[in-house]
Amino acid sequence: MDIQAALHDYIVTHGLQGKVPAGFDDDYDLIDSGIIDSLFMLNLVTYLEQQHQVEFGMNDLVPKHFKSIRALAAFVTSKTP
């Protein structure tokens, strides 16, 4: 499973508890919709660090990286060796 698909599954399962809103896709605004809050962001970072062997620095925890599944997958891909 690629990073984008894995992120989609993780967010649906853990962030939405399976209750997918209308229009939810990989470009859906995760921050403005309230899906990602500070606690879920930390859970998501931990998941990504463990599953994809990437490290997030303090400068990486910015809204543009967490705006959508597509944006987050692109960021994680850019951090993988």
Side-chain angles (χ1 to χ4, degrees), residues 1-17:
M1 182 179 300
D2 70 354
I3 292 171
Q4 197 161 313
L7 273 169
H8 187 277
D9 288 348
Y10 183 86
I11 290 169
V12 166
T13 303
H14 299 282
L16 297 171
Q17 288 77 41

Side-chain angles (χ1 to χ4, degrees), residues 49-68:
E49 287 181 336
Q50 291 174 351
Q51 295 298 312
H52 299 286
Q53 291 75 45
V54 296
E55 287 187 35
F56 281 76
M58 290 305 296
N59 294 333
D60 296 331
L61 302 176
V62 295
K64 72 177 184 176
H65 296 150
F66 293 85
K67 190 77 170 161
S68 67

Side-chain angles (χ1 to χ4, degrees), residues 8-21 24 28 30 33-36 40 69:
H8 187 277
D9 288 348
Y10 183 86
I11 290 169
V12 166
T13 303
H14 299 282
L16 297 171
Q17 288 77 41
K19 300 173 186 162
V20 180
F24 184 77
Y28 195 84
L30 301 172
S33 66
I35 294 171
I36 290 186
F40 186 59
I69 292 171

